[in-house]
Amino acid sequence: MTGQQQRIVVLGAGYAGLSAARRLARKARDTTITVVDTRAEFVERVRLHQAAAGQSIGRWDLRELLERKGVEFVRARVTALDPDAKRVWLDGEWSMGYDTLVYALGSAADRTSVPGVAEYAHSVATPEDLRALPAGPVIVVGAGSTGIELAAELAESQRDSRVTLLGSEEPGGWLSTKAAEHIRTTLTGLGVEIRSGVKVGEVLPDGVRLVDGTVLSAAAVVWTAGFTVPDLACRAGLTVDEQGRIRTDATLRSISHPDVYAAGDAALIDGPGDRPLRMACATALPAGSYVATAIVARAGGAEPKPMTFRYQLQCISLGRHDAVIQFLDADDSPANRVVRGRAGAWVKERIVRIAGRAAGLR
Ligand SMILES: Cc1cc2nc3c(=O)[nH]c(=O)nc-3n(C[C@H](O)[C@H](O)[C@H](O)COP(=O)(O)OP(=O)(O)OC[C@H]3O[C@@H](n4cnc5c(N)ncnc54)[C@H](O)[C@@H]3O)c2cc1C
């Protein structure tokens, strides 16, 4: 960068924000980099299902982590954006100016779409959601990756509690037949009861009511059936999709506000096959890193090449000793190749560790 110091503010110290800050710290010149997050610690979100099953997971002090890299850390809640004045409001009390903003505020559990979720359901979407589950039968709602991983982890660690996995689709139904069959066999082997093709209409204090009126009782219900993103971008007038994710161009810049870049769950990024990239750590890390590259390129007067990205794998853990590693074709469809069992668990663990390294944790 030339002339006076430019200020880059990164909102959110999750996988996307940390990977952006890490690369900016290495590559950007004549710049102050500030990361804002409401949390004091980074907690590996991709291990929250393990934490819910009573395992201890790593925590990193964000100030220490970032200051070591020459990045300023501000612990505060972002309460508003003013993109015209190029300022962010923190804790509703004070504001900070920026030249370039990286919006990486991630996602949280959707607690509003279905009645009773906010009042009665547990969640593993964020560290703040984790609460000890009472003893007794557990219903996990949502048979996506998070629901599958959680059901397996709970069943493996609490053999005496019945775990039921409810979903509108077959667990892993979007993967190859081989992978989906392995998921079903392993979950069943762990004692998980799978009920597919069902939709929950309401969460009750002691169970759920399905849309067909059937009531299923449980000591605890864990909701993994949907995620929402913060409404800050929408409230500030940035162009967003119906969920509130910032619409980005091929260089991850907001299509309405070119001083704002977005990465991670809170960004809508075009992916293979005209589908947006998934809300995933596997997206957040390369997107955060790419945003830093694009910012540095533009600061140096060059136009960055568009982000190119494809998923190679989809990894779903099935307890601590098993997992499914689904290889993917270039169009993101499941390939024939699947790694299962202990080898799969080993690969998944390696990938989670590599993700931590990419975020600068190790
Ligand atoms: C149990 C579980 C398992 C998962 N497993 C996998 C997996 O195996 N593979 C995979 O690819 N993905 C997985 N995911 C998804 C993955 O965790 C997310 O896609 C990823 O964390 C998104 O990264 P992010 O940086 O966009 O957001 P986040 O990691 O959510 O980080 C956002 C940050 O923004 C901060 N923030 C939010 N709002 C504010 C505010 N108003 N003010 C200040 N700070 C704020 C938060 O405190 C947080 O630190 C899993 C998710 C869960 C819940």
Side-chain angles (χ1 to χ4, degrees), residues 12 14-16 37-39 45-46 76 78 105-106 124 264-265 280-282 348:
Y15 289 98
D37 201 293
T38 189
R39 294 185 186 131
R45 199 175 167 200
V46 298
V78 185
L105 291 174
V124 293
D265 287 0
C281 172
K348 166 89 196 201

Side-chain angles (χ1 to χ4, degrees), residues 193-321:
E193 187 193 342
I194 300 169
R195 295 184 72 154
S196 304
V198 297
K199 204 164 170 353
V200 172
E202 187 181 358
V203 177
L204 309 169
D206 53 358
V208 295
R209 179 177 289 115
L210 305 181
V211 287
D212 68 5
T214 311
V215 171
L216 305 173
S217 55
V221 174
V222 193
W223 192 259
T224 73
F227 292 88
T228 56
V229 302
D231 65 355
L232 288 162
C234 178
R235 279 200 277 126
L238 278 89
T239 302
V240 297
D241 72 347
E242 58 292 343
Q243 273 187 274
R245 293 180 292 178
I246 293 185
R247 288 190 183 275
T248 59
D249 67 12
T251 66
L252 305 201
R253 264 200 316 195
S254 151
I255 60 168
S256 56
H257 293 76
D259 304 315
V260 180
Y261 290 75
D265 287 0
L268 184 73
I269 305 171
D270 286 339
D274 288 336
R275 282 193 305 266
L277 294 182
R278 283 189 273 285
M279 283 180 164
C281 172
T283 314
L285 286 167
S289 177
Y290 171 84
V291 159
T293 306
I295 291 172
V296 171
R298 287 206 171 96
E303 187 52 26
K305 291 199 189 104
M307 175 172 161
T308 53
F309 177 74
R310 63 160 285 202
Y311 299 103
Q312 306 280 348
L313 304 170
Q314 196 167 354
C315 311
I316 301 178
S317 65
L318 299 166
R320 291 301 82 209
H321 312 290

